[in-house]
Amino acid sequence: MAIEVKNISYTYPGSTVTAVENVSMKIEKGERVAIIGQNGAGKSTTVKLMNNIYKPTSGEIIIDGINTKNQTTAQTAPHVGYVFQNPFNQITGARDTVYGEIAYGLENFGVPVAEIKTRVEKIMEITNTTYLQEKNPFELSGGQQQRVALASVLVLEPDILVIDEPTSQLDPQETERVFEIIKTMKQMGKTIILVEHKMELVAEYCDEVVVLHQGKVIRHGDKHDVLSEIELEKFGIMLPLTVYLANELKKHGVRMKDNIITSDEMADQLQKIGKKE
């Protein structure tokens, strides 16, 4: 088990409103889990609790068998890497080149210079940032900065990655690049917890989906089961466009396979229907 969340609740200091209430979930090693919900549903709060940036008001979080209750954020960081929504919050500015920015965390952990070089070069290749290594991080585009922010976390080699809406400010091309990096991390055996609004990407790249509403978990399961549930619309959840198409085709008498959520699945189903006719 990578992460076990046990009945956590959290209220921000000075607030009387509970941001997260009795949230529980289990995330297996190597899974890609998306956390979705309306704005204000508690998504970012939940993942910050998982990363030990916040401490639960009640409940507990177990990461790789270790209770985070008595750990500092710094002690949790080697196990759980956190990528912020805005790369400006991730880039330290402590170094004036991309290479130096990516290497900075390793320097703080006292990693030998030779190993730093090897790890930074490997991660720059994975994140397609090698050509940027001599540039100032603050002179890059938003998409390039997000990839540098990802690289600065990945180079620390955490087993678990928490990624909070990484594509909210990116164009389609940079969005695709970020998700290709996420796909590579999956292939490397990383556990990935992703907050994301773009449902087509969630449908394509994730394994399981958690739906939050008003700080509570209302669904958690296989992506095909969760994302094909039209009734989630009443909670303000936008589903993949393919789901709406499949639903309309069924209404018009077309015999569709259940739980179609990706464009590839839809194309395959329509091709099969066409051959039958």
Side-chain angles (χ1 to χ4, degrees):
M1 188 73 63
I3 296 183
E4 186 173 4
V5 177
K6 298 181 177 181
N7 299 313
I8 60 168
S9 295
Y10 182 76
T11 302
Y12 283 94
S15 174
T16 58
V17 179
T18 303
V20 170
E21 185 176 353
N22 294 326
V23 167
S24 296
M25 67 182 81
K26 294 180 180 180
I27 298 174
E28 300 288 345
K29 290 184 179 181
E31 280 188 334
R32 287 177 295 187
V33 178
I35 299 179
I36 66 173
Q38 285 182 302
N39 290 334
K43 304 183 299 297
S44 290
T45 302
T46 298
V47 294
K48 285 183 171 72
L49 287 162
M50 288 182 179
N51 195 50
N52 208 19
I53 293 174
Y54 300 156
K55 294 286 187 183
T57 307
S58 62
E60 58 185 14
I61 298 173
I62 312 297
I63 297 174
D64 285 338
I66 300 172
N67 195 319
T68 63
K69 182 178 181 180
N70 299 315
Q71 281 195 320
T72 64
T73 304
Q75 288 173 320
T76 305
H79 304 283
V80 186
Y82 186 88
V83 180
F84 288 85
Q85 177 179 353
N86 191 331
F88 282 112
N89 296 329
Q90 195 93 41
I91 295 172
T92 65
R95 298 289 184 270
D96 60 5
T97 66
V98 165
Y99 183 99
E101 178 67 32
I102 297 171
Y104 183 63
L106 295 176
E107 294 170 357
N108 283 339
F109 281 114
V111 176
V113 174
E115 184 179 346
I116 289 177
K117 184 176 185 296
T118 299
R119 286 166 65 170
V120 170
E121 289 177 352
K122 176 184 176 182
I123 288 300
M124 285 196 303
E125 183 177 348
I126 289 173
T127 56
N128 190 26
T129 53
T130 303
Y131 72 103
L132 301 171
Q133 61 182 307
E134 297 301 325
K135 292 186 177 294
N136 187 308
F138 292 110
E139 295 175 355
L140 305 179
S141 70
Q144 291 169 337
Q145 286 183 335
Q146 189 62 279
R147 283 185 280 131
V148 171
L150 264 168
S152 68
V153 173
L154 296 175
V155 77
L156 301 176
E157 299 182 348
D159 290 327
I160 302 166
L161 295 169
V162 176
I163 309 175
D164 192 355
E165 295 196 51
T167 68
S168 62
Q169 303 175 55
L170 304 186
D171 61 30
Q173 186 177 27
E174 286 292 350
T175 294
E176 193 65 32
R177 285 173 178 165
V178 167
F179 270 85
E180 282 301 311
I181 295 169
I182 292 172
K183 182 179 179 180
T184 300
M185 292 301 102
K186 164 71 173 180
Q187 293 167 349
M188 293 172 66
K190 304 294 185 183
T191 304
I192 298 167
I193 300 160
L194 175 71
V195 176
E196 182 57 66
H197 279 296
K198 297 171 182 174
M199 291 299 103
E200 279 73 22
L201 293 172
V202 169
E204 182 177 353
Y205 286 94
C206 293
D207 304 313
E208 293 204 349
V209 176
V210 176
V211 183
L212 289 179
H213 180 69
Q214 296 180 351
K216 298 179 181 179
V217 175
I218 59 171
R219 300 288 189 280
H220 181 189
D222 178 86
K223 64 180 182 181
H224 287 91
D225 295 330
V226 176
L227 293 180
S228 61
E229 188 178 341
I230 292 291
E231 287 75 14
L232 286 176
E233 282 187 306
K234 67 183 180 184
F235 298 105
I237 305 299
M238 291 296 295
L239 300 171
L241 294 176
T242 304
V243 173
Y244 297 115
L245 175 58
N247 193 54
E248 286 301 313
L249 289 171
K250 286 181 180 179
K251 287 180 180 178
H252 287 81
V254 180
R255 298 184 63 179
M256 299 292 295
K257 180 182 176 183
D258 289 336
N259 299 356
I260 291 176
I261 62 171
T262 71
S263 57
D264 285 347
E265 290 169 351
M266 174 60 75
D268 181 65
Q269 179 68 13
L270 292 177
Q271 188 177 42
K272 288 178 179 177
I273 290 172
K275 285 180 179 179
K276 288 180 181 179
E277 294 178 352

